[in-house]
Each structure stands twice: as structure tokens, then as C-alpha cells.
Amino acid sequence: MNINENYLKLQDSYLFSTIAKKVKEFADNNPKADIIRLGIGDVTLPLAPVVVEAIKKAADEMGIKETFKGYGPEQGYAFLREEIKKYYLKKNVDLNSDEIFISDGAKSDLGNILDIFGLDNVVLVPDPVYPVYVDTNIMAGRKIIFADANEQNGFLPLPDENIKCDIIYICSPNNPTGAVYDRNGLKKWVDYALKNNSVILFDAAYECFIKSKELPSSIYEIEGAKKCAIEFCSFSKTAGFTGTRCGYTIVPDELVREGVHLRKFWLRRQTTKFNGVPYIVQKAAEAVFSDKGQEQIQQNIQYYSENAKIISDTMDKKNIWYTGGKHSPYIWLKCPNNMSSWEFFDYLLNNAQIVGTPGSGFGRNGDGYFRLTSFGDKQRTIEAMERFSKLI
Ligand code: PLP
């Protein structure tokens, strides 16, 4: 018996446990302190009322013999895939509904998709980055190279023709930096992938925060992308499904490598290892696309976007360099006075009782940067920025 030794190569993530430990220590020493948490990556507003109604109705159906549902289609119910197809048509992206795969969230699919790729592929991951891309490849034993995201390129690295890679991760709007690629930027990646036969794994988990039609919210808005990209999306941030769990992945039929339609490999993978998302959850996700659902989720997205503006306006006022905050719930700021990420964390906690996330937790290039999020309460965000303004 052999263990998968690749797991030994994983770096322990101390980021959130260290934050929790430091905050607890501070709170124990300062019992009266009013701590505001702007580090949270989870949503805080409840599900939209139409979504809750849909869940109740679907639960009732499950309790009646005539409408009870057992195993559903592994790829997801047609009623939900059709809604997603219509949603993409609004972006002028025409998908076939069998190119859409419903899942229990983007994180699972981003990890599981690696099953369909050979182990000797070279993987390109931006730094800093959502840690799942790195860890899932380390678990499988793939070689990872990093694309530097930094102040010079606005945390939006572009392809380097001298560096050859087979699998490319792009997250836009980005977690943690909030940076968003424009059409030109994404086109450069698509052109690179087409030329080099690479596959782009495009994480669109935050697409709903894009407010301008000028910015692409799907990689398929770029010509040729269906021949080189898989897109991952989620209801988590769009509709508050972080605890309800639903997402989807698009594998276009045109995406062919070595004579194989990757869609068929993914279908085979899913039908073998996955038994579908609960009917109740898929009915909930369907309700998101109703007129009322769209209106109600927009209210929540608007709420978070206003928080993001409160934070980014403060950065503007203080002349602090940052990315994000405009088409993203994240604000990625340069720590003042050349402080390291952890120095700034301590400084903010000790002097303003604000908790954020040190950028160094997302990669080497994250040091000296800091992530604030807009998923909190509005009044608390205002209060936090008043304290920030006084301190900095
Ligand atoms: N992708 C990115 C960039 C994320 O930040 C997150 C969650 O924070 C996910 C994917 C995971 O989404 P889900 O809840 O659908 O698994």
C-alpha cells in the first residue's frame, strides 16, 4: 500500500487559522473592543424569497408519490440547463444545453476537472491566486509554473510566448485581487491557447459583479474561446448559494484535443463519479433565473457593490493604490508605508479593530497587499471605513 505522496508536498494553509488566532488573542486582551470583520469571503445576505419558495415547493413534491424524484440526470435537469442557456444568450453566447453540466459548486468542478487531463501537462497559475488551483494540481503531481500578477500589470498577467503551458487558470473578476480582464486581455489568452493547443480553465464565479457590457463576463464572449476554454460558474456569490451548493461548468463541444471531445470525457467522468445535484437545489437555482429571482438577487449584488464602493472610495480619498472594488466584491490594496501584509493586518486590528486578509496568504506576489471584502453589513462597512480614514 502506498499513500499519495503528493499530499506531503502541500503547504499547510495557516492563513485563516492564524487570522482567527490573532483576532481571538486581541479580543481576549480587549474584551470591550468592537471588531469589524472585512475579511469574510462568504456572503451574508439570505436567499432571495423566490428561491426559498421554490425550495419549499420542491420539498413538498418530494413528499408526494406522484411527484417524488429519485436519482436525477447526472448532468443536471433540463429545466435548469435551459435557463442557463438563456442566460448565456443574453451575453450573445449560444450554448447547446448538453454543453452545460450542473454541479454542487465551482470548487468541486475546478478540482474534479483535472481527472480528464494527463499528468504531464504544464500548468500555469497566476500568483496571487485562489489556492484551490494550486493545491489540486499538487495533489495530482503536476508541474505548476506561476504567472506574475503585480502592480505593473494591474494584477492581470498576460501570456508570455516564451513560456509554454498546457493548462491555464484565469479567474476574472479575480479572487483575491478583484481585477477584471477586458476583452483585449482575454483575447490575448485565447489566442495564446489556440496557438499552443492549451486549455484555459476560466473561473467566472464572480461574473455577476461585472456591471459594464464592455467587460466580458464569460470567456465565450471572445471569439475562438469555445475551441480552447472550459468555464466554471457558481450560484454561490450570484445568489447566496454558498450553503445551498449549486454551480455549473461549460465544456463546449468544439473543444477537441488529440481527436477527443473533452465534453465527452467530462460527461464520462461525471456519470461515473457523480450522481447529480439534489432536485430541490436545482429547483432553487431555476428560480434564480425567473424575473422576480433576477430582481431579488440584483438587490443583494447591489448591496455588496455599494459596500465595495464605500471601501474603494476610501482608498481613493487616501491615495492608496488598489485593484478591484468596481466590478468585484474584493478590494486589493497596497499596504501603506511599505508594510508587509501581516504588519498591516496587526496595525489595522490593533489600531482600528478592523480585520482583513493578508495578501501573502494567496501567493508570493501577494505580500505587501491586503484584501478587504464587501460581503459584510453596510453600516459596519461605513464604520470600518471611518475608522480607517482616521487611522491612515
Ligand atoms: N472560485 C473562486 C475564485 C472562489 O473565490 C470561490 C469561492 O470563494 C469558488 C470558486 C467556489 O465556489 P463554490 O461555492 O461554487 O464552490
Side-chain angles (χ1 to χ4, degrees), residues 298-322:
Q298 276 310 323
Q299 284 171 14
N300 290 5
I301 294 166
Q302 185 60 25
Y303 182 94
Y304 297 135
S305 298
E306 280 166 20
N307 284 349
K309 185 163 179 350
I310 291 162
I311 300 171
S312 55
D313 282 353
T314 307
M315 301 307 131
D316 285 334
K317 250 194 296 178
K318 294 282 156 186
N319 269 326
I320 292 174
W321 191 92
Y322 68 97

Side-chain angles (χ1 to χ4, degrees), residues 128-268:
V129 77
Y130 178 53
V132 171
Y133 313 152
V134 175
D135 287 353
T136 49
N137 278 290
I138 292 177
M139 286 172 178
R142 276 192 200 83
K143 181 168 186 270
I144 301 173
I145 51 178
F146 290 95
D148 282 328
N150 49 39
E151 199 175 331
Q152 288 71 44
N153 57 30
F155 283 91
L156 294 168
L158 291 173
D160 178 346
E161 276 303 334
N162 300 315
I163 295 173
K164 296 288 171 235
C165 53
D166 306 304
I167 296 173
I168 300 162
Y169 284 86
I170 301 177
C171 177
S172 178
N174 190 275
N175 178 15
T177 70
V180 187
Y181 278 101
D182 62 13
R183 274 172 218 284
N184 240 334
L186 273 194
K187 184 175 176 334
K188 289 197 172 109
W189 280 113
V190 168
D191 290 346
Y192 174 95
L194 290 173
K195 187 170 161 207
N196 293 283
N197 239 3
S198 330
V199 171
I200 295 171
L201 303 181
F202 187 77
D203 186 342
Y206 297 93
E207 59 88 26
C208 65
F209 287 93
I210 294 181
K211 286 179 224 77
S212 162
K213 286 254 179 231
E214 297 304 307
L215 292 170
S217 63
S218 161
I219 195 161
Y220 304 123
E221 292 179 46
I222 311 300
E223 205 187 325
K226 282 188 179 173
K227 289 189 163 52
C228 66
I230 296 175
E231 181 158 301
F232 302 84
C233 204
S234 169
F235 293 93
S236 282
K237 307 298 155 85
T238 310
F241 272 52
T242 50
T244 307
R245 309 304 306 146
C246 196
Y248 53 90
T249 290
I250 295 160
V251 190
D253 210 34
E254 289 174 48
L255 181 54
V256 179
R257 290 291 180 274
E258 297 179 38
V260 169
H261 288 263
L262 295 191
R263 190 189 73 77
K264 288 195 178 148
F265 268 26
W266 182 239
L267 179 64
R268 189 71 171 88

Side-chain angles (χ1 to χ4, degrees), residues 47-93:
L47 292 173
V50 281
V51 169
V52 176
E53 265 171 47
I55 290 173
K56 287 181 182 164
K57 188 161 171 273
D60 284 341
E61 285 179 52
M62 293 297 275
I64 298 167
K65 192 167 190 304
E66 287 70 29
T67 49
F68 166 77
K69 301 277 186 300
Y71 291 123
E74 291 99 335
Q75 200 176 337
Y77 282 100
F79 62 75
L80 180 53
R81 287 189 283 133
E82 282 303 319
E83 288 302 329
I84 294 169
K85 181 180 154 63
K86 281 192 246 162
Y87 182 66
Y88 272 78
L89 267 181
K90 288 188 202 151
K91 306 178 192 223
N92 289 323
V93 174

Side-chain angles (χ1 to χ4, degrees), residues 26-45:
F26 181 84
D28 288 347
N29 294 331
N30 303 276
K32 291 210 178 106
D34 177 23
I35 298 169
I36 304 180
R37 289 163 205 273
L38 292 186
I40 176 169
D42 198 352
V43 292
T44 53
L45 293 173

